[in-house]
Amino acid sequence: MSIKFDVVKDYPSPSTKLLCYDMFDLNSREVLQMLVYQISLQLALENAPIEITVMHNKARHPRMKGKEEPPKVDWKSFNQQMSRDFFSSSLAFFAYQETGETTHLVAISHQYLTQDLAEDEIKYSLHKTGNCISSCQVIEIRETTMSDCCNVLLQGEDNDMLRGGFRFYSDIGLSTVKDQLDLTRRKDGWRMEEHISTTIWQKKNEAMLHIRQIMGHRSLKEEMIRIYHSGNHKTFLEHPVHYSIHASSRPAAQEMIDALVGGLYANGRILSKRINYFCDFDGASGNERSIRTLLDSAKYTAVAAELPGSVARTVRPLRLGASEMDISRFWLEETVKHHRYTLFIFVQISEEECDWEKNFERDLANIVDVVPLYEGSGDETATRNYLNNLSTLKGLPSFEDDDLREVVPKGIYTPTHAIEIFDRLCKMRLHRDFYPAYQNIHTRSAGLGKLSCKNANPTLQLSQMVGLREIKSLVERIVAAHKMKKIRRGLNLKENRGALHMVFTGNPGSAKTTAARLLTGIMKEEQVLSTGAFIECGRSDLVGKYVGWTAKIVAQKFQEASGGVLFIDEAYALVDRSNSFGTEAINTIVQEMENHRDDVVVIFAGYPGKMQELIESNEGLKSRIAFYVNFPDYNTEELVKILCLMAKERELRLNPGILRKCRCFFQEVVKEDNFGNGRYVRNLLEAAMMRQAERLIAMSKKHEITRQKAVCLTMEDFMPIKLSQVKPKSQMGFQMRLASDTV
């Protein structure tokens, strides 16, 4: 039998192997384990299974009388010898399947497996078990997961090539992994999912292209630039930073982790492509021992730990008697123990960061340096490309352009939302193209409109709104000032942060609330605000019923808005001359604005004339306002644009005749005071939808309602809306044009 090796994957050069041998006394067993770890630093993973396919050629023997079968390798004896020697060896091979002349083995190594090492070890092991080998050839070698390793070993048991049992898996350190595979023994619910990163890009340009394809956030792009920096050391020493990922879904987070690990592996920052993802850990102390065992075997790999965020907890609540502090304590202890050689990635699956997560990140930052990464977003073009790339990755054909334009209208989408759209597109294509009898069967909502502000990237959403030129400029100034503050801090210069309190003035429907929400999201994204909390309130939420109540209520609102924005709508209503409660509220607000000037931004909103009365009612309030932003009424063309945006959000089509008719309505309505701006457009469209529904239902008795009819409005559906009061419009000077609250 002959054996020869040909390694398909190029592995890092074992340049530091001799140096590692010189550092330790090989006669000490305890130090020998450290030697393995050091060699693994450059050469392999501790207990890293590598799936190998060996081609063995039967050696020719002298002719003998009669036909005799050539000798075969006793793989069962070979495997038994490997299991006995594993405890005292750093490398073991186990055969699990024979197909023709090809034998499949799995290797478990405490050090890096190279071509020469594998060849020598297999030859030595085969000779040791009485098999004479002259050469062999490795036709494939690749890294695999611990779970796949257990699966092929179980396959070896079925093929009668391996004698398993608890002791066998315990001796080779895979008993806990095998327990995870046995669904009948997974009563606790927690699990470890393993994955081999497939996004290995040797060049930075290729990595950045991949980040754009997955709609990566700016934070991920910046970190990838740091990873590919030419000045970085290209061999692994220890991890300089660890990561926290904020996403709205597990698939989106795993996609970011896969790209991150791929970049680190390509630059020698991590020695394995294996990702160990821990999820659904409910804090039970009985599970900690099993997880610690798996963490020990995950040395030199990436460990992703899903924290109990708001979304995760709705799926699986904490175990009775356990608390989030128990989970925090456990992961902090394990980080202290393993952070030098194990890459930790803490995942938060939630739309908003909770207090527990903030405390955990603060405690974690005291142990290691942490780089926060956020879920990205993209416009409709990037989202359509994302969907086609995902379809290609799964071995499916690309989607038709008409389907993509229909389900992905103009807007901003996150990967989480794109993945949901992908599932629905696949279902729609399955019904339409393969099972047309079920084409009209829909058990879930088909709405695929634009994301809300909470899920979309606020910067991109603000940039696509109608108007808002001045507030966009204001955002740029605030962000630039914050970045300059960080630069001054790095230069050990005095930091001077001015107050950011604002006054928004404008008529109803002029986007004051929407602008405030987007501004909050942008300041959170740029780390101007720590939490990004948005607390909206009015007079009834601030003024108490009895003496002494108002001050406590106002103080509580500021506490809720800590690290974010306190938005006071119709703030002019606080000017109250009938009793002192409104005045008490204003005085308390001024005092709290000073007390929280570094962590709360207050935005007062209301009508232009009445807001001036509020500002002049208190000199202290007037001196603390940094920005005044006027929101003008829309002109005719802006109202037409808003109508088109609203129709797209509702998956409705407007023909040119409808737009001409509505333009005439808008030309008349803009001459009136307080016509409602964007709200007038919304009411006009909703009234047209009501007429369309009445028309289609009446005709459905004779004709079927098709999709084409359902999405098309007619000119007859649009009728002008009469305003209750008509007054001459006063001339006012405005500084900016803004979009509707509903856009």
Side-chain angles (χ1 to χ4, degrees):
M1 185 174 294
S2 60
I3 301 179
K4 183 181 177 182
F5 284 86
D6 181 17
V7 180
V8 177
K9 170 74 177 62
D10 291 331
Y11 288 93
S13 173
S15 57
T16 61
K17 182 175 180 180
L18 295 179
L19 176 62
C20 295
Y21 276 111
D22 293 338
M23 292 171 61
F24 303 103
D25 180 8
L26 301 182
N27 295 323
S28 170
R29 178 172 180 80
E30 182 177 358
V31 174
L32 182 60
Q33 185 67 17
M34 294 180 63
L35 170 63
V36 171
Y37 292 155
Q38 290 292 326
I39 293 175
S40 297
L41 185 67
Q42 287 293 328
L43 309 176
L45 306 174
E46 180 184 2
N47 291 336
I50 300 177
E51 188 171 323
I52 300 176
T53 304
V54 176
M55 175 73 74
H56 60 84
N57 299 318
K58 300 177 181 179
R60 295 186 177 181
H61 296 269
R63 291 191 176 184
M64 302 175 61
K65 292 183 179 181
K67 292 183 179 179
E68 295 184 4
E69 291 293 332
K72 293 183 178 181
V73 176
D74 186 357
W75 290 112
K76 191 169 186 179
S77 299
F78 174 84
N79 290 335
Q80 290 176 354
Q81 186 66 40
M82 286 287 99
S83 63
R84 285 193 294 266
D85 296 343
F86 183 81
F87 187 74
S88 59
S89 174
S90 61
L91 176 63
F93 299 92
F94 298 97
Y96 64 90
Q97 185 180 20
E98 282 187 294
T99 55
E101 295 185 351
T102 303
T103 303
H104 302 278
L105 299 90
V106 63
I108 303 176
S109 176
H110 292 284
Q111 61 184 30
Y112 197 86
L113 184 61
T114 64
Q115 176 179 348
D116 294 338
L117 178 61
E119 179 179 357
D120 294 341
E121 288 290 338
I122 286 186
K123 284 184 177 181
Y124 172 77
S125 300
L126 288 171
H127 279 286
K128 189 176 180 179
T129 55
N131 298 282
C132 297
I133 301 297
S134 57
S135 65
C136 74
Q137 180 183 7
V138 173
I139 60 177
E140 183 182 8
I141 179 170
R142 61 184 176 87
E143 185 177 2
T144 187
T145 65
M146 303 291 285
S147 299
D148 288 340
C149 177
C150 284
N151 284 326
V152 297
L153 290 176
L154 291 172
Q155 185 178 350
E157 293 184 39
D158 295 337
N159 295 332
D160 198 28
M161 299 176 67
L162 183 70
R163 181 181 298 173
F166 173 80
R167 183 172 180 177
F168 168 77
Y169 290 98
S170 178
D171 288 343
I172 64 175
L174 292 176
S175 59
T176 304
V177 178
K178 184 175 180 296
D179 289 346
Q180 276 284 293
L181 294 175
D182 190 353
L183 297 178
T184 60
R185 302 182 65 175
R186 281 173 49 183
K187 300 177 181 179
D188 297 321
W190 71 274
R191 65 186 186 277
M192 180 186 73
E193 299 176 354
E194 294 179 285
H195 173 66
I196 300 295
S197 176
T198 57
T199 56
I200 311 298
W201 311 111
Q202 298 299 331
K203 297 181 180 180
K204 182 177 73 172
N205 293 340
E206 296 175 345
M208 298 306 295
L209 175 61
H210 176 70
I211 297 301
R212 287 194 295 271
Q213 289 175 344
I214 65 173
M215 299 192 294
H217 189 264
R218 183 178 65 255
S219 59
L220 183 58
K221 297 176 184 177
E222 292 175 351
E223 177 58 20
M224 200 61 68
I225 292 174
R226 289 190 287 264
I227 290 173
Y228 282 85
H229 192 279
S230 59
N232 291 343
H233 199 60
K234 296 302 180 182
T235 53
F236 178 76
L237 300 176
E238 63 178 78
H239 295 293
V241 296
H242 298 263
Y243 300 94
S244 66
I245 287 182
H246 305 256
S248 299
S249 67
R250 185 175 296 168
Q254 291 174 334
E255 190 174 50
M256 296 168 63
I257 294 171
D258 190 64
L260 181 66
V261 171
L264 293 170
Y265 181 84
N267 288 271
R269 288 269 301 275
I270 194 170
L271 299 179
S272 171
K273 297 176 289 183
R274 195 170 95 232
I275 301 168
N276 308 276
Y277 193 99
F278 291 86
C279 52
D280 296 337
F281 176 40
D282 56 8
S285 59
N287 296 330
E288 293 184 0
R289 181 178 179 181
S290 298
I291 296 179
R292 285 194 173 98
T293 301
L294 292 173
L295 288 175
D296 290 338
S297 66
K299 197 171 185 179
Y300 302 111
T301 67
V303 169
E306 188 176 292
L307 301 177
S310 58
V311 175
R313 287 279 68 81
T314 59
V315 176
R316 180 173 179 82
L318 290 175
R319 177 70 63 87
L320 182 64
S323 68
E324 287 153 338
M325 293 302 298
D326 295 329
I327 301 177
S328 174
R329 171 195 53 79
F330 173 79
W331 284 116
L332 290 174
E333 289 177 355
E334 294 305 308
T335 302
V336 171
K337 180 180 178 181
H338 296 286
H339 73 275
R340 293 185 64 190
Y341 304 119
T342 300
L343 178 68
F344 282 96
I345 305 173
F346 293 100
V347 181
Q348 299 179 13
I349 307 297
S350 59
E351 296 177 352
E352 295 182 355
E353 194 175 29
C354 63
D355 292 337
W356 177 84
E357 292 169 341
K358 299 172 192 174
N359 296 333
F360 177 80
E361 285 194 346
R362 184 191 63 239
D363 296 337
L364 183 65
N366 294 328
I367 301 172
V368 294
D369 293 323
V370 181
V371 176
L373 303 174
Y374 300 91
E375 182 178 0
S377 61
D379 59 15
E380 66 281 358
T381 301
T383 305
R384 293 167 188 169
N385 293 334
Y386 178 95
L387 292 171
N388 277 329
N389 291 333
L390 187 60
S391 183
T392 302
L393 183 64
K394 293 181 178 295
L396 302 174
S398 299
F399 296 105
E400 297 180 4
D401 293 340
D402 291 341
D403 290 340
L404 290 174
R405 282 193 293 267
E406 181 179 344
V407 301
V408 188
K410 186 176 182 180
I412 304 300
Y413 303 84
T414 65
T416 294
H417 197 242
I419 293 171
E420 295 175 358
I421 295 175
F422 176 81
D423 293 337
R424 297 179 188 181
L425 274 172
C426 290
K427 183 177 180 180
M428 180 184 71
R429 184 164 59 181
L430 179 69
H431 286 190
R432 182 189 62 195
D433 299 341
F434 299 97
Y435 300 99
Y438 297 95
Q439 186 171 354
N440 296 324
I441 301 298
H442 301 286
T443 58
R444 293 189 301 175
S445 173
L448 298 174
K450 188 168 64 175
L451 290 179
S452 64
C453 297
K454 182 181 294 186
N455 294 326
N457 184 310
T459 303
L460 290 176
Q461 189 175 15
L462 179 64
S463 67
Q464 294 191 352
M465 290 185 67
V466 178
L468 297 175
R469 293 186 182 90
E470 185 170 331
I471 200 166
K472 293 172 185 176
S473 177
L474 174 61
V475 168
E476 293 177 357
R477 294 200 302 272
I478 293 175
V479 172
H482 179 70
K483 290 182 177 179
M484 190 63 201
K485 176 186 174 182
K486 294 169 66 176
I487 294 174
R488 291 179 62 88
R489 183 188 308 158
L491 298 174
N492 294 324
L493 297 176
K494 184 177 180 181
E495 300 177 20
N496 297 313
R497 173 178 174 176
L500 299 177
H501 307 305
M502 310 174 194
V503 171
F504 288 0
T505 57
N507 288 323
S510 56
K512 298 184 295 294
T513 303
T514 298
R517 288 185 181 275
L518 291 176
L519 179 61
T520 303
I522 294 171
M523 289 194 291
K524 169 62 171 66
E525 187 179 63
E526 298 293 340
Q527 299 180 353
V528 178
L529 298 175
S530 59
T531 66
F534 184 82
I535 305 300
E536 184 178 357
C537 60
R539 173 189 165 86
S540 61
D541 301 310
L542 298 174
V543 176
K545 296 181 179 180
Y546 305 102
V547 176
W549 284 25
T550 299
K552 294 181 180 179
I553 294 175
V554 172
Q556 179 63 31
K557 288 296 180 183
F558 271 84
Q559 188 66 30
E560 294 175 7
S562 178
V565 168
L566 180 64
F567 182 79
I568 305 177
D569 198 13
E570 298 182 355
Y572 53 81
L574 293 172
V575 180
D576 187 359
R577 294 183 174 85
S578 61
N579 58 61
S580 60
F581 292 164
T583 303
E584 181 185 0
I586 295 174
N587 294 336
T588 307
I589 289 172
V590 172
Q591 180 182 350
E592 293 295 331
M593 288 170 67
E594 184 63 26
N595 296 339
H596 297 270
R597 67 191 309 269
D598 291 331
D599 65 341
V600 175
V601 175
V602 180
I603 300 179
F604 300 91
Y607 301 152
K610 296 182 179 180
M611 288 300 296
Q612 187 63 31
E613 184 180 356
L614 169 67
I615 300 303
E616 294 177 352
S617 67
N618 190 296
E619 286 295 328
L621 176 61
K622 185 176 182 180
S623 64
R624 286 173 172 79
I625 302 298
F627 303 101
Y628 292 84
V629 182
N630 290 324
F631 286 65
D633 292 336
Y634 294 117
N635 59 34
T636 300
E637 294 305 319
E638 289 172 335
L639 293 175
V640 172
K641 291 180 181 178
I642 293 173
L643 176 63
C644 294
L645 288 174
M646 290 183 177
K648 283 188 176 182
E649 288 178 347
R650 292 162 173 78
E651 298 188 62
L652 297 171
R653 298 178 184 175
L654 307 178
N655 59 48
I658 293 176
L659 297 181
R660 287 194 298 270
K661 184 175 183 178
C662 292
R663 183 177 284 105
C664 294
F665 297 161
F666 297 151
Q667 288 173 347
E668 295 299 322
V669 78
V670 295
K671 300 176 182 178
E672 304 180 9
D673 276 339
N674 299 329
F675 65 89
N677 288 290
R679 294 176 188 170
Y680 176 86
V681 180
R682 182 188 62 196
N683 293 336
L684 180 70
L685 181 61
E686 290 179 349
M689 294 171 62
M690 293 288 289
R691 296 188 184 94
Q692 180 212 33
E694 183 180 9
R695 172 172 52 82
L696 293 179
I697 294 301
M699 64 175 290
S700 64
K701 298 178 181 179
K702 298 181 179 180
H703 304 283
E704 181 183 0
I705 300 178
T706 64
R707 183 179 182 85
Q708 179 71 15
K709 294 178 181 179
V711 300
C712 291
L713 297 174
T714 65
M715 294 180 61
E716 290 73 19
D717 294 331
F718 287 86
M719 299 296 293
I721 298 177
K722 295 183 180 180
L723 303 179
S724 58
Q725 294 182 350
V726 179
K727 297 181 181 179
K729 186 173 181 177
S730 58
Q731 298 296 322
M732 299 181 62
F734 294 104
Q735 301 176 359
M736 43 187 283
R737 296 177 178 179
L738 297 162
S740 168
D741 286 324
T742 59
V743 180

